[in-house]
Amino acid sequence: MNILQEITQRNRVSLQERKSKIPFATLSLRAEELPAPQSFTDVFNSPGIHVIAELKSASPSKGVIRESLQIPQLARSLEASGATALSVLTEPFFFSGSLHNLELASQSCTLPLLRKDFIFDPYQVAEAKLCGASAILLIAAMLSMEEFRALSEYAHSLGLQVLGEAHTEQELEIVQTADLIGINARNLRDFSTSLTGSAALIAKADLGKPVIAESAVKTAEDIRFLQAAGAKGFLIGETLMRAPSPAEKLKELLSCF
C-alpha cells in the first residue's frame, strides 16, 4: 500500500464517524443555504505573480514543518504581504491539519481559501463550504474520471470551484472539469519531487484554464522557471512555513519580480 492509499483508508474511517454524527442530508442542506463564496479563480487570469500560500504544520515526508501554527496571525500577515489566496491543510492524521484551521483562516482574512485535503466524498465538499472555503482540491491520482466529475459537479452546485491536481499526462484527462489545473511536482505515491518534470507537464496542460504549479518551489528562480513553462500561479507551503517569518519570506520572493 502506498502513502496515498494509506491516507485515504485512514480518512474513510474518520469520515464514517462524522457521518454518524451529522448525516449528509443535513450537512448538505446547511451548505446549500449559505451564499456562494468569492471566486478563487478570477485573479489567476490577470498578469503578475500569484502565490497561494499554504498553511500546514507537517507532512508524511518531512515530519513537523512548523511547531506552532498560529492561523489567524499567519492568515492576516500573508494577506498583507501579497498572497493571492491561502491553501489550508485540513487532513489530520498525516498532515496535522483540521477543519477548525480552515474556519479560523476564513475568520481572519479576506482572501479566497482552498481546502487542501484528500477528498473522495461529497460530504467533504459540503464541509469545505461550511468552513469558509472558496475552492477544493481534487487529486486525480486517487479518483476515477467519473468520481472526479461527480465531485466537481457537486462542488459547483454549492458555488465552490475546483483545483484539479495532476501528476501525469493521463491524469490531465481526468481533471478537465476543474476550474484550475494544478501540476504537483511531488509524486503523492512516494513523495519524491521534480521541478523539471512539473515544468514539462505544465507545458502540456493546455486546457484553457489557469495552471497552478504546486510543491517544491523554494526560490524566485523556481518561480521564473515554472512561469516560463506556463504556470499562472504558485502554491507554496513548506518554503514559507519553515521561515521564521512566513510573511517576510513571501515578501522576499515577490520582491524579485
Side-chain angles (χ1 to χ4, degrees), residues 196-240:
T196 302
S198 181
L201 194 55
I202 287 170
K204 296 177 181 178
D206 185 18
L207 300 178
K209 300 171 183 180
V211 177
I212 309 300
E214 304 176 30
S215 297
V217 176
K218 298 179 180 179
T219 66
E221 288 70 28
D222 292 340
I223 292 175
R224 290 191 184 94
F225 176 66
L226 295 167
Q227 186 182 38
K232 300 297 184 183
F234 309 88
L235 193 153
I236 305 176
E238 183 180 344
T239 296
L240 298 178

Side-chain angles (χ1 to χ4, degrees), residues 11 15 18 115 117-128:
N11 279 277
L15 180 60
R18 301 202 298 279
R115 180 183 183 183
D117 210 321
F118 299 79
I119 293 176
F120 52 84
D121 191 289
Y123 195 96
Q124 297 165 290
V125 181
E127 288 177 326

